Amino acid sequence: MNVIEINELTKTYGKSRGITDISFQVEEGEIFGFIGPNGAGKSTTIRTLLSLIHPTSGSAKIFGKDCIESAPEIAKEVGYLPSEVFYYDNMKVMDLLKYSASFYKKDCTKRIKELAEVLNLDLTKKIDDLSLGNKKKVGIIQGLLHEPKLIILDEPTSGLDPLMQQKFFELLQAENRKGATILFSSHILSEVQRLCDRVAIIKEGKIVQVEKISTLKENNHKKFKLEMKSDVDQSYFELEGVSNLEVNQNHVSFLFRGNINTVMKKIADIQIANLWIEEPDLEEIFMHYYEKEA
């Protein structure tokens, strides 16, 4: 079953670009990455999905219900963390979170305390006295306190230090294991690579690709680095599927796409001192998609 279904969603803002014909589905129980550079249209898509802004055309459904018609009903089961969080400065953290919980008509006190402990957040402090990172933690707890079936995160890690990011990812994985579906928007590829099953790549308000993370990697280049026992002629490695070939005396590096056995046979015929084969990271894969589009 699809928890999110977006069909040809378009939002235009006069002459400035919004989003155009966005379509993708997020399956139940999946951690789905939504990735693109800042200003690509990720937040616009999410806000339209949450009925915070209305689309110019197209439609979106959550839990099979229309996002605009059933917005209040859908909101009960959705946790949302916007990219920037703003609060009433004079409130204490616990008071704010209890106020948030009151919208869901259930007692979330135990849950709030558990989350605050995991994220190392002092609930007795005033919002005004919190650092940017701690304000972000308040937003995370606000999004998770009612144990939503769908968690929508827009650039959630900005302001969190690396150790806290790690705890946050573990928290999300635990929620996912309990059955929550997660839509994770980011411009940081390594985050998506670590967490997500599938990813939609957005560029200038349009989807360029929806793909499994594993397929993105498989269909892409492998990075080869070789250290030879003696100098080698560059022409030896000029094979079909080889690109970015660099030969520096007895060091050779290149990207390869295709049947890896052809390269391995070639390497087996020469004396090598060392060999490294690496997966390209999503950064390189991403640039590949952008260049292809361009």
Side-chain angles (χ1 to χ4, degrees), residues 67-81:
C67 283
I68 296 167
E69 288 169 15
S70 307
E73 202 181 327
I74 290 167
K76 290 175 192 168
E77 300 291 353
V78 175
Y80 168 51
L81 176 65

Side-chain angles (χ1 to χ4, degrees), residues 48-68:
T48 311
L49 183 62
L50 291 166
S51 189
L52 298 172
I53 52 179
H54 280 214
T56 308
S57 62
S59 67
K61 287 181 180 176
I62 293 179
F63 311 126
K65 298 166 188 166
D66 182 272
C67 283
I68 296 167

